[in-house]
Structure formats: C-alpha cells, structure tokens
Amino acid sequence: MDVSSHDVLLVGGGGAGLRAAIAVAELNPKLSVAVVSKVYPMRSHTVSAEGGAAAVIKPGDSLEDHAYDTISGGDWLSDQDAVEAFVKEAPEEMLRLEHWGCPWSREPDGHIAVRPFGGMKKERTWFAADKTGFHMLHALFQTSLKYGAITRYDEWFVSRLLEDDGRVQGAVAIDLMSGKIQAITAKAVILCTGGCGRVFPFTTNANIKNGDGMALAYRAGGPLKDMEFVQYHPTGLPFTGILITEAARAEGGFLLNKDGYRYLQDYDLGKPQPKPVLRSMELGPRDRLSQAFVKEQEKGRTIEGPYGSVVHLDLRHLGEKVINTKLPFVRELCLKYENIDPVKELIPVRPVVHYMMGGVHTDINGATPLRGLFAAGEVACVSINGANRLGSNSLTELLVFGARAGRSAAAFALEPPTPNGRVLAQAEDEKRRLEEQFLRKTGGRESIATLREEMQKTMEKSAGIYRTGAWLAEAAATLRRLQERFRDVAMSDHSRTFNTELTAALELSFMLDVAEAIVQSALNRTESRGSHQRTDFPKRDDGQFLAHSLVFHKKDGTPQVQYLPVTITRWPPAERVYGK
C-alpha cells in the first residue's frame, strides 16, 4: 500500500477546510498540509450558500446583541463561551476575507451593506448579492493557492480514520480517478466535511453531504453531539429541495397560504404579534416558520402540488430592479427549475432539511475528545447553534472555527509521535475490507437505492419537524434492520476508475450510522426545544434537558446516549423571544 505523510491532514475542501488550511500555513509555514476532498474544492457545498454571513459592523449593533440573539435563537442550548468568542472574532474574519478579495455588497457611500436575517434583532448580515458562499469560497480557494505547503488531494474519498492508543494519526483514502487505496498519515487531522442532510429525502443539501466526517469520528470512538436538532428551512423548492434564500424574505418577501393570506400573523414566532401585520414576521426563526407550515397544512390551507403541499413566496411587490440587483440568483433558480419568473409569479415553497445543529463534539478550539482529531464547520458541534441555528451565522462559523481548529491542529502537530506499525496495519485492514466487501464482492440481494430510499422515508416520517416517541422507536427498529440488510448489498461494478457505485455504498453506510444517532438522540430527549419538537412532550424541560446529548458508537454498532451540561456564562435560561 502506498503511504504519504503530512503534518496536518484536512478532510473536506470547503469553507471551513480551506480556512483551516490557511490558518495552519500562516501559523507555521514549515508544516506540510494536505487537503483531501471528494470533490474539487470549488464544488464544495459552501458554494451554494446564498443569503449572507453575520458579523457586527454597523453603529447601533453590539457583540452582546449578536450573542443574545444567537443564544435565545438556540433556545438556550448554545455554549455561551463559544458564542462570545464567535461574535468577537466574526468581524475580524469578515474583514480579513474582504482583504482576500471577497466582493461584499456596498452601500452607495462605499460602506459594507447589511441586510436583516431571521431571528436577528439588528441588521448584521453581510452579503455579496445572493451568491455569498460562492464569493467566499472563491476568495478562500484563491488565497490557499499562495501557500506551497498546502497539497491538495482532489476527488479522493476518505473511508476510515487511523488511530492508535486514542490518538488519530491519519486516514485511508481512495483516489476516485484511479481507484488506488492509500494511507495518508498525519500528526493531526481536521474534519471539515459538512453536514448530513441527505439522510432525508427533501433537503437543500448537495448529494455530497452524507455525514461522512460525522460517521468517521463516530466509528473511531468520538461522540456526536446534539444530533437530534435538525433544521428545516421554510423555503425550499418542491421536488428538488433547492434553497430559496432567506434573503428573499429579508428584502420584503411574503409567505402566503392558498387564500393569499400572510398566515404567519396567526402563529407565535417567539414574541407577541401586534396588528396590523409586521413586515418582519417572515423573518422569524426557521424552526418556528417550518412548524407554522405544518399547522397550515393540518388546517387544509396549503396548496397541493405534484410533490406535496406548498405555500407561496411572493416577491412580486419588490419589483424587477430590486430582484435583479439583490436576488438575481433567486430569479435564475426559479426560471431554470420551476419555469417561474418571481417578478411576475408566486414561488411554490415548502420546508426542507437544511442544516445540522449537531455534529462531532469539539471544544472551543475545535479539538475532539480523540487526541489529534479536530473538526470545524457543519460537521462539528462546538456548540454555538444550540437547538436552532440563526440564519447567516453558519458562514461566519466556518471562518471563525475553521481558523481556530487550524491553529489548534498546527500547535498539536509540533511534537507528535511517528506513525507506528499498528497504524499502517489498520490501513492494510481497511484496504482489505474495501476490496472484499465491495470491490470484489459478488452476489448480494439488496439495492443501494432501495435501502437509501427506505432510510430517507423513515427519517422524514419519524424525525421530521414534529416527532413522537412511538414514531422514533419505530424508526430506530427500522434503521437497525436496514443496517443488517446493508450487509447483503449488491455490487455490480468492480472497476477501479470513478466507481460511483462504491462511493454510493460507502456513503450509505455512513448515512445509516448518522441516521441512527439522530433518531436515538431524539428518542432520549423527552422535551421540545428549538427544532426538536416532541408532540408527546410539548414543553421545554430545563431541569432535565438543559444539556447536550452525546451519542457514542458501541461495539455492537448501536448508539448510546449520555449528557453534558451546557456552558452558561452571562445569560441564564429565559423565555425564548424574537424581536423584543
């Protein structure tokens, strides 16, 4: 088996991964950095983020306001020390990104433009029209090219972490072009692989977001934190799940039911709703807006379409100039995927899975409980997002905690041991597993597509916007059966070059592990908080559940849940409010 060695290995080449790689190179240019990504970095999912990135910049705003909005929006499950560090470093990271070439939208006088975003009391969301992630990723990627110490492994797929005596020392990866299986040893490893939205059938997430990094850490013995908290975005296109950014509502878009009525005025979005209707009600927190959609559906006030129930997003009153200037990508998506022009027509939308508040458990510097393993971005749970992430915090999180994880990993990598024979033996074991169970496998009766579809339907039914103990228990049993059936999966492609069937099988295996972690965490949390809504336990229970769930992978493959107290620094738990 071929072996390559680096000081720091990054798994994932999106926003968090590139920011971490740059941080390592800046801190110590002598360190060798490897960036392994299963897609070319500019195809990472960061590129699809549209609306903006939050950071305090304008007079009248404050770090305390940003922190309080984040903590209240997260229903008091956010670790407040992490939030305070986040809001303090956010403006610094955003200005640094501007210096690296990110073309932030401007006011007529040249100052940075900001827009309102859901759950934020102040306007603090920086944006680059409605292609913010695209421009951020370009700036990060171009900046990374300056550093000769960064080596990229584009279109390589990591199948296993290598660890010995509780210390992660590299990974096994497959070169998708040639099929070569190789060990990449490292003194520190950073996971930046994004979320796992593809465990659900309707999601804004790209096909690459399968929970790879979460499952890698989970199988290596690292706990996953707060996995029960799954965010639905209230405005996805039906069938495709493509996101219609919150910026469309920030610019003044309305949500209408089948009667053309702005139904959100009838629901509690976290504050009293005075009459007449407030312009800001469409910018309530995402979990509350998604829950309101379900209630409208139950009342028979949604519109039935070919891909299920929808409501309408109305941008017509904004006018063509505003849409073309501030929401050009929204118009492009509607024209291409729905044959609808939002300048003249209503946009059909429905809630779709968008973001995972949970992920690999890390401390404030990105370190996991496994020595040598770090994580940042959506794959990680630091936790600033608590039970519900506020829109536009995630892009800034990539920068702040990508940089922190990079600096921590660089410091950790200065005096590590040399990988020993046991680590390389693990790599040989993984190569043998991949070849015997997949590449050379004959027979098998189970279809990858069938198993994946059954998993997704199970998750949508039982772990969606509203949940019950009975549904979750049923889902846990179903997922166990799917794990057993996966052992009999059929493999017809035994080639080496771009074997997409192999990739799909490995991704499904990761998704099944992550799905079990989500369901078991949700089953154990017998309260309602943020995006986790149990109809059989409708109240928030701070006495028992002001705590993070930690789910561990037992030796028999089943999940085991423990709890960790939330860090409270300045803001004691209170009623969750929005807009006061």
Side-chain angles (χ1 to χ4, degrees), residues 283-304:
L283 288 179
R286 291 171 176 176
D287 58 340
R288 299 284 174 88
L289 266 63
S290 297
Q291 291 154 22
F293 172 91
V294 175
K295 296 299 184 184
E296 285 294 290
Q297 186 179 30
E298 291 173 352
K299 295 172 184 175
R301 302 199 307 210
T302 55
I303 303 110
E304 289 305 312

Short mmCIF file of all heavy atoms in Angstrom, two decimals, residues 283-304:
data_model
loop_
_atom_site.label_atom_id
_atom_site.label_comp_id
_atom_site.label_asym_id
_atom_site.label_seq_id
_atom_site.Cartn_x
_atom_site.Cartn_y
_atom_site.Cartn_z
N LEU A 283 -39.37 36.94 8.99
CA LEU A 283 -38.01 36.73 9.46
C LEU A 283 -37.97 36.18 10.88
O LEU A 283 -37.01 36.39 11.61
CB LEU A 283 -37.21 38.03 9.37
CG LEU A 283 -36.86 38.45 7.94
CD1 LEU A 283 -36.10 39.77 7.94
CD2 LEU A 283 -36.06 37.37 7.23
N GLY A 284 -39.02 35.46 11.26
CA GLY A 284 -38.97 34.71 12.49
C GLY A 284 -37.97 33.57 12.37
O GLY A 284 -37.50 33.24 11.28
N PRO A 285 -37.62 32.93 13.49
CA PRO A 285 -36.67 31.81 13.44
C PRO A 285 -37.16 30.69 12.54
O PRO A 285 -38.36 30.44 12.41
CB PRO A 285 -36.59 31.36 14.91
CG PRO A 285 -37.01 32.56 15.69
CD PRO A 285 -38.04 33.25 14.85
N ARG A 286 -36.22 29.99 11.92
CA ARG A 286 -36.56 28.99 10.91
C ARG A 286 -37.39 27.84 11.47
O ARG A 286 -38.28 27.32 10.78
CB ARG A 286 -35.27 28.45 10.28
CG ARG A 286 -34.56 29.47 9.41
CD ARG A 286 -33.20 28.98 8.98
NE ARG A 286 -32.58 29.95 8.07
CZ ARG A 286 -31.35 29.82 7.60
NH1 ARG A 286 -30.60 28.79 7.96
NH2 ARG A 286 -30.85 30.72 6.78
N ASP A 287 -37.09 27.43 12.69
CA ASP A 287 -37.86 26.32 13.25
C ASP A 287 -39.33 26.71 13.43
O ASP A 287 -40.23 25.93 13.10
CB ASP A 287 -37.24 25.83 14.57
CG ASP A 287 -37.13 26.92 15.63
OD1 ASP A 287 -37.16 28.11 15.27
OD2 ASP A 287 -37.00 26.57 16.82
N ARG A 288 -39.59 27.95 13.90
CA ARG A 288 -40.97 28.38 14.11
C ARG A 288 -41.71 28.52 12.77
O ARG A 288 -42.90 28.20 12.69
CB ARG A 288 -40.99 29.71 14.87
CG ARG A 288 -40.35 29.66 16.26
CD ARG A 288 -41.26 28.98 17.27
NE ARG A 288 -40.63 28.78 18.55
CZ ARG A 288 -40.62 29.65 19.55
NH1 ARG A 288 -41.20 30.83 19.39
NH2 ARG A 288 -40.05 29.37 20.70
N LEU A 289 -41.05 29.01 11.75
CA LEU A 289 -41.71 29.15 10.44
C LEU A 289 -42.03 27.78 9.84
O LEU A 289 -43.10 27.59 9.25
CB LEU A 289 -40.82 29.96 9.48
CG LEU A 289 -41.12 31.47 9.43
CD1 LEU A 289 -40.85 32.13 10.78
CD2 LEU A 289 -40.29 32.15 8.35
N SER A 290 -41.13 26.83 10.00
CA SER A 290 -41.38 25.48 9.48
C SER A 290 -42.53 24.81 10.23
O SER A 290 -43.37 24.12 9.64
CB SER A 290 -40.10 24.63 9.57
OG SER A 290 -39.07 25.18 8.78
N GLN A 291 -42.58 25.03 11.54
CA GLN A 291 -43.67 24.47 12.32
C GLN A 291 -45.01 25.10 11.94
O GLN A 291 -46.04 24.42 11.89
CB GLN A 291 -43.38 24.67 13.82
CG GLN A 291 -42.21 23.83 14.32
CD GLN A 291 -41.52 24.43 15.53
OE1 GLN A 291 -42.10 25.22 16.28
NE2 GLN A 291 -40.26 24.05 15.75
N ALA A 292 -45.01 26.40 11.63
CA ALA A 292 -46.24 27.07 11.20
C ALA A 292 -46.76 26.49 9.90
O ALA A 292 -47.97 26.36 9.69
CB ALA A 292 -45.99 28.57 11.06
N PHE A 293 -45.84 26.10 8.99
CA PHE A 293 -46.26 25.46 7.74
C PHE A 293 -47.04 24.18 8.03
O PHE A 293 -48.08 23.92 7.42
CB PHE A 293 -45.04 25.16 6.88
CG PHE A 293 -45.34 24.33 5.65
CD1 PHE A 293 -45.66 24.93 4.45
CD2 PHE A 293 -45.32 22.93 5.70
CE1 PHE A 293 -45.95 24.17 3.32
CE2 PHE A 293 -45.61 22.16 4.59
CZ PHE A 293 -45.93 22.78 3.40
N VAL A 294 -46.53 23.37 8.95
CA VAL A 294 -47.21 22.11 9.28
C VAL A 294 -48.61 22.38 9.81
O VAL A 294 -49.58 21.70 9.46
CB VAL A 294 -46.38 21.29 10.29
CG1 VAL A 294 -47.16 20.05 10.72
CG2 VAL A 294 -45.05 20.88 9.68
N LYS A 295 -48.75 23.41 10.64
CA LYS A 295 -50.07 23.75 11.18
C LYS A 295 -51.02 24.21 10.07
O LYS A 295 -52.21 23.85 10.08
CB LYS A 295 -49.93 24.84 12.24
CG LYS A 295 -49.11 24.42 13.46
CD LYS A 295 -49.74 23.24 14.18
CE LYS A 295 -48.99 22.88 15.44
NZ LYS A 295 -49.55 21.67 16.11
N GLU A 296 -50.51 24.98 9.12
CA GLU A 296 -51.34 25.39 7.98
C GLU A 296 -51.76 24.17 7.17
O GLU A 296 -52.90 24.07 6.71
CB GLU A 296 -50.58 26.37 7.09
CG GLU A 296 -50.44 27.76 7.64
CD GLU A 296 -51.79 28.48 7.73
OE1 GLU A 296 -52.37 28.84 6.67
OE2 GLU A 296 -52.27 28.68 8.87
N GLN A 297 -50.86 23.23 7.01
CA GLN A 297 -51.16 22.00 6.28
C GLN A 297 -52.27 21.23 6.99
O GLN A 297 -53.21 20.73 6.35
CB GLN A 297 -49.89 21.16 6.17
CG GLN A 297 -50.01 19.92 5.30
CD GLN A 297 -48.70 19.16 5.24
OE1 GLN A 297 -47.90 19.19 6.18
NE2 GLN A 297 -48.46 18.49 4.13
N GLU A 298 -52.19 21.14 8.30
CA GLU A 298 -53.22 20.43 9.07
C GLU A 298 -54.58 21.10 8.96
O GLU A 298 -55.61 20.44 9.03
CB GLU A 298 -52.77 20.34 10.53
CG GLU A 298 -51.58 19.42 10.76
CD GLU A 298 -51.05 19.48 12.18
OE1 GLU A 298 -51.52 20.37 12.94
OE2 GLU A 298 -50.18 18.67 12.53
N LYS A 299 -54.57 22.42 8.79
CA LYS A 299 -55.82 23.17 8.65
C LYS A 299 -56.36 23.16 7.22
O LYS A 299 -57.42 23.75 6.96
CB LYS A 299 -55.61 24.61 9.10
CG LYS A 299 -55.29 24.76 10.58
CD LYS A 299 -54.91 26.20 10.91
CE LYS A 299 -54.49 26.34 12.37
NZ LYS A 299 -54.01 27.72 12.67
N GLY A 300 -55.64 22.53 6.29
CA GLY A 300 -56.09 22.47 4.91
C GLY A 300 -55.89 23.78 4.15
O GLY A 300 -56.58 24.03 3.17
N ARG A 301 -54.92 24.58 4.61
CA ARG A 301 -54.73 25.89 4.00
C ARG A 301 -53.46 25.99 3.16
O ARG A 301 -53.03 27.07 2.80
CB ARG A 301 -54.75 26.98 5.08
CG ARG A 301 -56.05 26.96 5.88
CD ARG A 301 -56.35 28.23 6.63
NE ARG A 301 -55.30 28.70 7.51
CZ ARG A 301 -55.54 29.39 8.64
NH1 ARG A 301 -56.80 29.63 9.01
NH2 ARG A 301 -54.56 29.81 9.40
N THR A 302 -52.84 24.84 2.86
CA THR A 302 -51.71 24.83 1.94
C THR A 302 -52.20 24.46 0.54
O THR A 302 -53.38 24.13 0.35
CB THR A 302 -50.63 23.84 2.40
OG1 THR A 302 -51.23 22.54 2.57
CG2 THR A 302 -50.01 24.29 3.71
N ILE A 303 -51.31 24.51 -0.43
CA ILE A 303 -51.66 24.20 -1.82
C ILE A 303 -51.08 22.83 -2.17
O ILE A 303 -49.91 22.56 -1.90
CB ILE A 303 -51.09 25.27 -2.79
CG1 ILE A 303 -51.61 26.67 -2.41
CG2 ILE A 303 -51.44 24.95 -4.23
CD1 ILE A 303 -50.55 27.57 -1.84
N GLU A 304 -51.91 21.96 -2.72
CA GLU A 304 -51.44 20.63 -3.09
C GLU A 304 -50.81 20.68 -4.48
O GLU A 304 -51.45 21.08 -5.45
CB GLU A 304 -52.58 19.62 -3.06
CG GLU A 304 -53.06 19.29 -1.66
CD GLU A 304 -51.94 18.80 -0.76
OE1 GLU A 304 -51.16 17.91 -1.19
OE2 GLU A 304 -51.81 19.31 0.36
#
